[in-house]
Amino acid sequence: MSKVTIKDRDIADKDFLTTFAKGLEVIKSFNEETPTLTVSELANKVGLSRAAARRFLLTLSKLGYANQNNGQFNLSARILDLGYSYLASLNFMDRVNPIIEQVARDLNESCSITVLEDKEIVYIARASRNRLVSMNLQIGARLPAYVTSTGRVFLSGLSDVQLEAFFEDEPCPKLTVHTKTAKQTIAEIKKVRAQGYCLVNQELELGMSSLSVPVYNRNNQLMLALIVSCNALSISSDEMLQRILPVLQAASKEIALVLP
């Protein structure tokens, strides 16, 4: 999960509310590794005094966004309201969801839609099928852009200068034996620009391949990326390009018609 980073230039900005930013950091400190936190644990994790950490947690609790039990705090279901506010603002999704559902039915593979946020892609819609892909890719899931097919689709929209800048401080850790280096990844992204799709084979997780295409709005702005993830042991890359790519490309054009 990405971390809210408060920079010196932000603090110096008179319009920047440091306390609000810290509050977001507190919320995001609850994750899969730390679903519950004590005051001391939160203070150490976020860099707060114990008194400040306690005030943040008690405020979240009083607003209904956190639960407390014997000194342990965890987020409540009400926190989902924040995410649903974003999804509700995407007022075109009620017309997009049936399209990806149809793709999933036609291919018998899970189909999803992602957006790019900083250096990560975020899943905002998904039509699931019970296939042998172990990674949990539900709505809200985040993955590093450099090693995902949808991430590379989004990065293909950057100029060469922007692309080099993106990878200047991107460590690009090797996640599997197939993960490409930063230099190789940049070359792959430039290929995506020319071919209009991206296929990633087992670079993120062994046994998982994914194929993505861009979705543009009527002003030719890249807004979304459409992805199908498959078990690499069940379908070859060539078969993905022959069988899945045409379906994704047709769905991309259909989605484009309902975008604002």
Side-chain angles (χ1 to χ4, degrees):
M1 182 177 289
S2 65
K3 187 177 186 297
V4 177
T5 303
I6 302 175
K7 300 178 181 178
D8 290 341
R9 68 171 180 270
D10 294 327
I11 296 173
D13 186 346
K14 65 179 181 179
D15 294 323
F16 185 83
L17 293 176
T18 304
T19 303
F20 183 73
K22 277 291 185 182
L24 292 175
E25 230 182 316
V26 166
I27 291 172
K28 291 172 75 67
S29 67
F30 292 92
N31 53 36
E32 187 175 358
E33 289 76 29
T34 54
T36 63
L37 290 167
T38 64
V39 170
S40 296
E41 288 168 342
L42 176 67
N44 291 333
K45 187 170 186 180
V46 184
L48 295 169
S49 67
R50 287 190 80 261
R54 180 177 178 274
R55 287 197 298 271
F56 275 116
L57 289 171
L58 289 178
T59 299
L60 285 173
S61 181
K62 289 178 179 178
L63 291 174
Y65 291 112
N67 303 312
Q68 59 173 313
N69 183 31
N70 294 326
Q72 297 275 345
F73 291 81
N74 65 281
L75 297 180
S76 72
R78 190 171 190 176
I79 206 75
L80 293 173
D81 290 347
L82 304 180
Y84 285 132
S85 294
Y86 166 71
L87 293 175
S89 71
L90 303 176
N91 55 12
F92 52 83
M93 290 305 295
D94 59 338
R95 289 167 288 172
V96 170
N97 283 318
I99 298 173
I100 65 171
E101 286 284 356
Q102 186 62 54
V103 170
R105 283 193 295 270
D106 291 344
L107 298 174
N108 195 29
E109 300 284 0
S110 295
C111 180
S112 307
I113 289 179
T114 70
V115 295
L116 180 68
E117 184 176 282
D118 195 21
K119 291 180 178 289
E120 296 178 313
I121 55 103
V122 183
Y123 282 71
I124 63 169
R126 183 164 174 81
S128 297
R129 289 296 177 270
N130 293 323
R131 307 289 285 178
L132 298 176
V133 174
S134 63
M135 189 167 287
N136 182 19
L137 300 176
Q138 301 306 313
I139 293 175
R142 292 171 174 268
L143 294 172
Y146 78 94
V147 76
T148 54
S149 58
T150 58
R152 291 178 183 177
V153 162
F154 283 114
L155 294 177
S156 71
L158 301 180
S159 67
D160 286 354
V161 172
Q162 291 172 321
L163 200 54
E164 293 291 340
F166 181 93
F167 282 95
E168 274 182 4
D169 58 351
E170 175 57 75
C172 296
K174 197 170 182 64
L175 303 180
T176 75
V177 295
H178 302 286
T179 306
K180 292 179 170 58
T181 65
K183 185 176 181 180
Q184 291 171 327
T185 301
I186 290 173
E188 285 294 314
I189 292 169
K190 290 179 179 179
K191 284 172 56 178
V192 174
R193 281 186 198 155
Q195 63 195 20
Y197 66 85
C198 182
L199 175 64
V200 169
N201 187 7
Q202 303 187 81
E203 292 188 52
L204 177 65
E205 178 181 328
L206 289 175
M208 187 176 78
S209 295
S210 66
L211 181 63
S212 298
V213 297
V215 182
Y216 296 92
N217 65 11
R218 298 176 188 182
N219 296 320
N220 204 35
Q221 297 171 314
L222 177 55
M223 284 189 65
L224 310 168
L226 191 61
I227 177 175
V228 165
S229 298
C230 304
N231 186 314
L233 304 179
S234 302
I235 180 171
S236 68
S237 295
D238 286 342
E239 186 180 353
M240 288 181 72
L241 293 178
Q242 293 169 11
R243 184 170 71 86
I244 295 177
L245 181 58
V247 177
L248 281 180
Q249 290 172 327
S252 173
K253 291 178 182 177
E254 193 173 354
I255 293 171
L257 296 176
V258 304
L259 294 181

